[in-house]
Amino acid sequence: AQKITQTQPGMFVQEKEAVTLDCTYDTSDPSYGLFWYKQPSSGEMIFLIYQGSYDQQNATEGRYSLNFQKARKSANLVISASQLGDSAMYFCAMRSQGNLIFGKGTKLSVKP
Amino acid sequence: EAGVAQSPRYKIIEKRQSVAFWCNPISGHATLYWYQQILGQGPKLLIQFQNNGVVDDSQLPKDRFSAERLKGVDSTLKIQPAKLEDSAVYLCASSLVPTGTGGLRYGELFFGEGSRLTVL
């Protein structure tokens, strides 16, 4: 069965510092994709970054990078130079042959 | 480019009443999804359409939930009769290609702002 686990219900980070949000996954499919979405209080899910299971390099998108450790089945999101606007819920998601499944999310709060 | 549009944004009803949510996907997106997001949880897929056909509705409570996408563009999700546990945000998403087509990356989902349902 496919599963996404986010073990951090909430995280605090000081503005301008880096933060890592944890995500582990479980699948028996060799081909899969890992996604991170941001959900601000407005409710919309905003795509941040994607990592394919066969990608050789870790994905990066601006201040976002994905620390992909395939053997450990982890896909942690790293946000560098945190900003106040980064305060939101963050969801890790995975898709192989089926639909996109989500973890329970991590609430990130950025302190000024 | 216009995003995924949903309405209403908020709805409060009493249990056993009915409610309908509307979604208009991004123009040209063939695949449309309805997700249910209960407070404190990640979104859960209810139904996936490819054009006007259903691809996956395995997690849709069919005794009370129904959805349609008659012309392969906009879609309606209905709940009748509503229960207290249906209180959630209903998210609509669309993608250019369906799951597994053209590479997983190209099946990226774009979400609307959601419709928040409160059942009293």
Side-chain angles (χ1 to χ4, degrees), chain A:
Chain A
Q2 297 178 349
K3 188 178 179 181
I4 290 281
T5 303
Q6 294 180 256
T7 57
Q8 306 155 313
M11 290 280 288
F12 287 91
V13 64
Q14 200 69 39
E15 191 179 9
K16 299 181 185 178
E17 292 186 349
V19 63
T20 298
L21 306 183
D22 295 341
C23 172
T24 58
Y25 60 92
D26 191 18
T27 180
S28 57
D29 291 324
S31 178
Y32 52 89
L34 297 158
F35 300 76
W36 276 92
Y37 282 85
K38 172 184 178 181
Q39 188 177 43
S41 57
S42 60
E44 185 178 0
M45 299 286 278
I46 302 168
F47 166 78
L48 295 178
I49 196 166
Y50 167 83
Q51 180 83 44
S53 60
Y54 293 120
D55 293 344
Q56 295 297 313
Q57 292 187 323
N58 286 345
T60 60
E61 293 279 354
R63 294 187 300 111
Y64 304 108
S65 61
L66 201 151
N67 184 2
F68 182 46
Q69 298 188 44
K70 195 170 182 177
R72 294 185 176 184
K73 292 190 174 180
S74 73
N76 299 338
L77 177 69
V78 180
I79 305 174
S80 62
S82 297
Q83 302 172 356
L84 296 178
D86 294 335
S87 293
M89 286 291 293
Y90 288 80
F91 290 94
C92 180
M94 177 178 68
R95 183 165 67 208
S96 56
Q97 294 301 316
N99 67 76
L100 192 65
I101 62 169
F102 288 83
K104 290 189 175 182
T106 296
K107 184 175 182 179
L108 178 66
S109 299
V110 181
K111 298 184 290 184

Side-chain angles (χ1 to χ4, degrees), chain B residues 57-108:
Chain B
D57 63 356
S58 57
Q59 297 191 88
L60 186 74
K62 298 179 184 66
D63 57 333
R64 297 183 301 104
F65 286 66
S66 64
E68 60 183 14
R69 192 185 185 200
L70 293 175
K71 296 182 179 179
V73 180
D74 56 348
S75 174
T76 302
L77 176 70
K78 296 180 181 178
I79 308 174
Q80 182 178 15
K83 292 185 175 181
L84 297 177
E85 59 261 36
D86 298 333
S87 294
V89 176
Y90 291 87
L91 292 164
C92 180
S94 69
S95 66
L96 187 60
V97 295
T99 301
T101 301
L104 292 164
R105 175 64 177 86
Y106 297 98
E108 175 190 335

